[in-house]
Amino acid sequence: MKVFNFKAVAAAAYRTFSSKRVAKPSAWALTNPKTKNTNTTVEQCRTPMSKIEWSEEQKQVLSSVSEGKSVFITGSAGTGKTLLLEEIIKFLNRLHTPYGVYVTASTGVAACALKGQTLHSFAGIGIIFSDDDPQLLVERVLSNQGACRRWRKVEALVIDEISMVSAKLFESLEFVAREMRGVDETWGGIQLVVSGDFFQLPPVVSNKDYCCSSQGVMYAFEAECWNRSFDLQVELTRVFRQSDYGLTRLLEGIRRGESDPQDLEFLENLCLGSSECDHDPSIVQLFPLNKDVERVNDERLRSLQKDVVVYRAVDSGKGHWKGNLRYGIVPDEISLCEGARVMLVKNLDTEHGLVNGATGVVVGFSWSLGEEEHLSGICNDKVLPVVKFDGGKFLTIKPAKWHLMDGPEVVACRKQIPLILAWAMSIHKCQGMTLERVHTDLSRAFGCGMVYVALSRVRSLEGLHLSAFNRSKIKVDQRVSRFYRSLASEKSKEVMVVDRRREKVATEVAVVSQEK
Ligand SMILES: Nc1ncnc2c1ncn2[C@@H]1O[C@H](COP(=O)(O)OP(=O)(O)OP(=O)(O)O)[C@@H](O)[C@H]1O
């Protein structure tokens, strides 16, 4: 109880302090790339879950896409990249022929969330290594009928979570696109819509490739074809996930590796109140490693000492597509019992907050009357879990379906209960999620972007519980910083051009009125 008070007081004090200290940024601060943490403003933040109102930047992207332009959308966590992408996908699907639009992502989890497929399965190039000859990849595609059709028919290609796509893959795909389509334009003329934040998790590269990449190139933006792949590269700057300016600014500092020492001190102090969280199962624990996630979830489940009901995924579909289903968020098998902490992994009732990421507790099981057919193969006990969500709502959870799409065609389908155990989760899996309450030990974070991804999941400081924090674990790749500096300087050049045009028009208007 004492600890809880400490956290509440600390968070409140921090908010007061941070809002007092930070005045409304000037117009200069908003456009000058050299200004630290310029990119988010307090009046720009809004209450999460409220009605969608596209920001000017989001509107700019929507309009460019509607003109057929290729765009790269980036920005801090929670700036609405995914929401914007969903809107773009709806638009593209209305515009193009069947098989004209392919939605992909670098990870199965992100692909599933957008009802798409992984970039690898779209491309049909198999696993690639840094020394693979691009021509060999074209041959691989040519031996795969489905992949040939995809490359020839695609008119618009969406790629989400680009930060985890390597330069080698990006470059290879651009080459494959030109070769397969026989068109000598960049990407063979395909309209690209790419989204992601390079300050978040980087590409996973093999040891062999890592040696090459650390000397050479690693990130997709380092690919030789990157700049000519896009007509527009936009950094979204309005944060929607957090409405607290202090937290938004603290996160932006960590994202860029330019933290204010007082923010870091605040995070260190926050750790003092951690012991309570170890016993509070309603807080999702985030771990850098999968093995810790499995250990904690298993231990917690066993400690309840209740009868367990097992749900097994039922997969259908064509050959290798079926294999891809297991890389999505929903597991092959999930064991549940009364008292188990769970997270919904599907939007069931958006109006009542029963959305992907909502957490709750299994309070019992009900007979699956009328659902026997749907449960067949999934659960031998023929019962459905009843969950009390943290918002107070009770819901009997029925099996849901996840489809793997090849353009408009469903090529594989997984049926499973849309729940995962939620005492613990990996930082890799939570990238892209909004979580109400998070507990994490960041002293064991490794690699670039991990601290930022973990911290940026929450909506408010009250939702953040830290048991350890080590400032040396905030790692930012200088190549990424340079890339964002160059994006910002391009933006400020654009602003200057617009300002000059405005000045010119104003002078002309003044001259005209004097002449009159
Ligand atoms: N224009 C908008 N109006 C209202 N809410 C918005 C808007 N854009 C985004 N949001 C909300 O903000 C939250 C974060 O959005 P989203 O998940 O799309 O961000 P993101 O940039 O993809 O984050 P991450 O990098 O962590 O994946 C979501 O709850 C989303 O619904």
Side-chain angles (χ1 to χ4, degrees):
M1 198 60 193
K2 196 171 158 209
V3 171
F4 174 75
N5 284 342
F6 165 79
K7 277 183 65 68
V9 170
Y14 182 71
R15 269 199 313 281
T16 315
F17 159 71
S18 49
S19 54
K20 263 189 197 153
R21 194 160 52 118
V22 184
K24 185 177 155 188
S26 64
W28 178 83
L30 279 173
T31 51
N32 189 322
K34 287 190 191 132
T35 312
K36 219 168 134 186
N37 304 338
T38 53
N39 287 338
T40 42
T41 66
V42 70
E43 77 279 339
Q44 285 171 329
C45 301
R46 57 191 300 288
T47 325
M49 305 294 285
S50 51
K51 157 165 157 283
I52 298 173
E53 274 169 42
W54 299 115
S55 65
E56 286 309 312
E57 297 154 330
Q58 287 174 323
K59 282 187 204 159
Q60 187 194 6
V61 173
L62 287 169
S63 129
S64 296
V65 170
S66 71
E67 288 163 16
K69 290 184 177 162
S70 285
V71 297
F72 167 53
I73 309 159
T74 188
S76 321
T79 45
K81 299 183 292 297
T82 308
L83 196 75
L84 187 57
L85 222 43
E86 283 167 356
E87 188 68 15
I88 290 172
I89 292 164
K90 275 192 240 156
F91 169 81
L92 292 172
N93 279 329
R94 282 197 300 269
L95 190 72
H96 290 289
T97 55
Y99 299 105
V101 184
Y102 281 86
V103 177
T104 72
S106 56
T107 68
V109 174
C112 243
L114 290 172
K115 295 202 189 101
Q117 58 186 285
T118 60
L119 185 57
H120 265 98
S121 61
F122 162 82
I125 54 169
I127 296 172
I128 67 164
F129 294 100
S130 56
D131 49 2
D132 276 347
D133 176 1
Q135 198 57 50
L136 175 86
L137 303 178
V138 174
E139 276 156 36
R140 281 195 208 149
V141 176
L142 285 170
S143 66
N144 176 338
Q145 225 183 349
C148 287
R149 191 195 57 207
R150 289 193 290 279
W151 279 114
R152 286 180 183 143
K153 295 221 160 177
V154 62
E155 292 167 81
L157 176 63
V158 174
I159 308 175
D160 194 15
E161 298 293 2
I162 188 74
S163 70
M164 291 196 222
V165 171
S166 67
K168 171 73 188 177
L169 178 59
F170 193 81
E171 216 156 76
S172 303
L173 295 183
E174 194 276 328
F175 178 81
V176 168
R178 268 183 291 129
E179 290 290 304
M180 292 302 299
R181 300 164 71 82
V183 176
D184 201 24
E185 276 175 60
T186 308
W187 285 89
I190 299 170
Q191 180 183 14
L192 274 194
V193 179
V194 172
S195 171
D197 177 16
F198 287 107
F199 281 114
Q200 296 188 41
L201 300 174
V204 178
V205 284
S206 67
N207 276 347
K208 175 177 157 224
D209 281 357
Y210 187 73
C211 298
C212 303
S213 65
S214 54
Q215 298 151 10
V217 296
M218 176 158 120
Y219 296 94
F221 64 78
E222 295 178 291
E224 181 275 323
C225 62
W226 177 265
N227 279 330
R228 58 189 162 81
S229 297
F230 303 104
D231 302 298
L232 177 74
Q233 302 190 47
V234 173
E235 186 174 9
L236 303 179
T237 57
R238 178 168 159 180
V239 175
F240 291 91
R241 184 172 290 136
Q242 293 91 18
S243 52
D244 175 337
Y245 177 70
L247 178 58
T248 311
R249 195 206 45 188
L250 176 150
L251 290 174
E252 193 58 15
I254 290 181
R255 174 174 180 254
R256 292 178 182 264
E258 297 169 357
S259 292
D260 187 323
Q262 275 171 304
D263 287 343
L264 299 177
E265 216 171 287
F266 170 77
L267 288 175
E268 280 156 3
N269 286 338
L270 214 56
C271 300
L272 301 173
S274 73
S275 55
E276 174 222 21
C277 310
D278 294 340
H279 307 291
D280 184 346
S282 67
I283 301 173
V284 181
Q285 287 193 61
L286 296 183
F287 288 99
L289 298 175
N290 273 331
K291 66 176 188 333
D292 292 319
V293 174
E294 282 160 23
R295 178 183 50 77
V296 170
N297 281 334
D298 281 358
E299 277 170 14
R300 295 271 192 179
L301 195 71
R302 264 188 277 117
S303 72
L304 294 172
Q305 299 186 328
K306 292 272 171 65
D307 288 341
V308 161
V309 179
V310 178
Y311 295 89
R312 287 190 186 84
V314 171
D315 295 344
S316 56
K318 299 179 191 166
H320 75 281
W321 292 107
K322 247 166 88 173
N324 279 312
L325 289 167
R326 50 178 16 176
Y327 300 114
I329 183 94
V330 66
D332 293 353
E333 189 177 296
I334 174 167
S335 300
L336 299 176
C337 71
E338 208 183 306
R341 276 297 296 174
V342 286
M343 179 184 288
L344 200 55
V345 286
K346 191 115 189 149
N347 290 336
L348 295 186
D349 180 357
T350 316
E351 207 183 310
H352 294 99
L354 302 185
V355 292
N356 205 343
T359 45
V361 177
V362 175
V363 288
F365 292 87
S366 77
W367 292 107
S368 57
L369 293 176
E371 290 292 327
E372 290 85 350
E373 201 189 318
H374 289 129
L375 266 181
S376 109
I378 297 182
C379 176
N380 294 338
D381 298 310
K382 303 274 182 267
V383 288
L384 296 170
V386 181
V387 175
K388 182 183 180 204
F389 285 93
D390 295 343
K393 206 160 166 48
F394 287 82
L395 195 70
T396 303
I397 309 291
K398 298 176 184 169
K401 286 182 180 171
W402 285 262
H403 293 119
L404 252 184
M405 306 295 292
D406 186 16
E409 191 192 341
V410 176
V411 283
C413 173
R414 165 162 283 197
K415 227 162 58 164
Q416 174 61 298
I417 289 287
L419 295 174
I420 56 171
L421 289 176
W423 284 292
M425 193 182 291
S426 77
I427 296 176
H428 271 89
K429 271 243 159 100
C430 78
Q431 174 154 314
M433 285 184 177
T434 303
L435 301 170
E436 289 307 327
R437 293 201 294 164
V438 155
H439 171 222
T440 186
D441 169 353
L442 290 176
S443 63
R444 283 182 287 162
F446 59 89
C448 294
M450 198 172 256
V451 169
Y452 174 63
V453 169
L455 295 177
S456 58
R457 297 308 100 203
V458 292
R459 291 188 197 277
S460 67
L461 276 171
E462 281 81 0
L464 180 61
H465 302 258
L466 271 183
S467 57
F469 174 76
N470 180 343
R471 44 180 94 188
S472 72
K473 301 290 176 180
I474 301 173
K475 292 207 165 68
V476 174
D477 193 315
Q478 286 315 304
R479 291 173 285 189
V480 174
S481 301
R482 272 198 300 275
F483 171 69
Y484 278 89
R485 275 201 297 275
S486 75
L487 262 191
S489 87
E490 284 304 314
K491 189 180 167 194
S492 64
K493 269 187 228 155
E494 270 171 38
V495 172
M496 276 159 61
V497 170
V498 172
D499 284 351
R500 267 195 229 118
R501 268 196 222 126
R502 274 198 201 121
E503 265 170 36
K504 196 167 162 242
V505 171
T507 321
E508 281 166 4
V509 169
V511 170
V512 169
S513 52
Q514 272 172 15
E515 281 171 356
K516 275 185 183 168

